[in-house]
Amino acid sequence: EPEVTQTPSHQVTQMGQEVILRCVPISNHLYFYWYRQILGQKVEFLVSFYNNEISEKSEIFDDQFSVERPDGSNFTLKIRSTKLEDSAMYFCASSGQGAGELFFGEGSRLTVL
Amino acid sequence: AQSVTQLGSHVSVSEGALVLLRCNYSSSVPPYLFWYVQYPNQGLQLLLKYTSAATLVKGINGFEAEFKKSETSFHLTKPSAHMSDAAEYFCAVRHGSSNTGKLIFGQGTTLQVKP
């Protein structure tokens, strides 16, 4: 069964460092998303991406964040200069045309020290 | 704007008892509604979805949910809880007319199942 895969599963970084989280969406999907979940809190939308551009972003997704689809398979989230409050589980998701539901990866846990 | 409210951050039931997790939504257009489950240290897995077809939706693992427009609710039920149902459950709403619309999640409900 097709699935969304994310790497790394866990990353520990120092405050101020750049982090790149990687995702391989389901191959025939066209819409891609990043969400985050701070420990004990709700799942929050960060950004959606379609046709090689951001289609929507939340207020959380400030200038420190960027997304890219560098090739035909990967979808990345970059945090330029991490802050302590960026510590969270980051989920990548994808959906197909008219499918309705999002398919989520297992998540990448980011710990900023 | 759409929103989702899940009543009760923690629900505890005995094994074999009825499970009822509440979700109310707010949407200015016909919504698409979803329930996701998150097991410890895992990602989000779709349990079921409502996309304007049958109002009673059956999902995986014996769960079902009923869309009630008059009550703006989409409560999740299971007749008999199993220990393996212990997890975090999220209700979510999505704009019905756009496939690029984001999912908006509720706060989540932790289900505890006691032996």
Side-chain angles (χ1 to χ4, degrees):
Chain A
E1 186 175 325
E3 59 181 16
V4 176
T5 57
Q6 291 184 239
T7 54
S9 57
H10 189 191
Q11 181 159 356
V12 181
T13 190
Q14 295 292 322
M15 189 169 57
Q17 295 296 304
E18 176 183 282
V19 161
I20 297 177
L21 306 179
R22 292 181 168 79
C23 170
V24 179
I26 294 174
S27 62
N28 61 345
H29 283 183
L30 301 175
Y31 303 87
F32 314 111
Y33 308 82
W34 282 101
Y35 284 78
R36 79 171 186 189
Q37 183 182 31
I38 295 172
L39 187 64
Q41 297 186 25
K42 66 191 294 185
V43 178
E44 300 174 291
F45 169 78
L46 291 179
V47 66
S48 61
F49 192 87
Y50 170 72
N51 199 26
N52 284 319
E53 61 182 21
I54 291 173
S55 51
E56 187 173 359
K57 61 183 181 179
S58 72
E59 61 275 9
I60 303 169
F61 195 88
D62 61 22
D63 291 345
Q64 292 299 311
F65 290 88
S66 62
V67 289
E68 193 178 32
R69 191 158 160 80
D71 52 42
S73 59
N74 290 284
F75 178 52
T76 62
L77 174 69
K78 181 192 290 185
I79 309 175
R80 271 181 261 281
S81 179
T82 51
K83 303 187 283 286
L84 295 176
E85 54 264 38
D86 293 327
S87 295
M89 181 73 89
Y90 288 82
F91 291 106
C92 174
S94 68
S95 71
Q97 185 81 22
E101 73 261 37
L102 270 58
F103 293 81
F104 284 83
E106 297 269 311
S108 293
R109 180 169 297 284
L110 176 65
T111 301
V112 182
L113 303 176
Chain B
Q2 292 118 335
S3 66
V4 170
T5 302
Q6 290 182 241
L7 297 174
S9 58
H10 287 83
V11 171
S12 181
V13 301
S14 298
E15 190 174 20
L18 171 72
V19 175
L20 171 61
L21 305 182
R22 299 178 187 274
C23 172
N24 288 90
Y25 69 91
S26 171
S27 178
S28 58
V29 296
Y32 286 4
L33 293 160
F34 306 82
W35 275 99
Y36 281 83
V37 61
Q38 184 181 29
Y39 298 103
N41 301 313
Q42 294 189 25
L44 296 159
Q45 180 183 4
L46 181 71
L47 271 179
L48 49 80
K49 63 180 179 180
Y50 167 77
T51 57
S52 74
T55 56
L56 181 62
V57 181
K58 294 189 184 296
I60 62 172
N61 301 337
F63 284 93
E64 62 183 38
E66 186 172 8
F67 173 71
K68 291 187 177 180
K69 184 177 180 181
S70 61
E71 298 177 8
T72 61
S73 68
F74 190 57
H75 302 331
L76 182 71
T77 60
K78 182 174 180 178
S80 177
H82 192 272
M83 296 296 292
S84 61
D85 294 327
E88 185 88 10
Y89 291 80
F90 293 94
C91 183
V93 63
R94 190 176 194 187
H95 197 291
S97 64
S98 168
N99 195 45
T100 61
K102 62 183 181 284
L103 278 184
I104 299 169
F105 285 88
Q107 303 92 319
T109 299
T110 301
L111 176 65
Q112 180 187 25
V113 182
K114 297 177 291 186

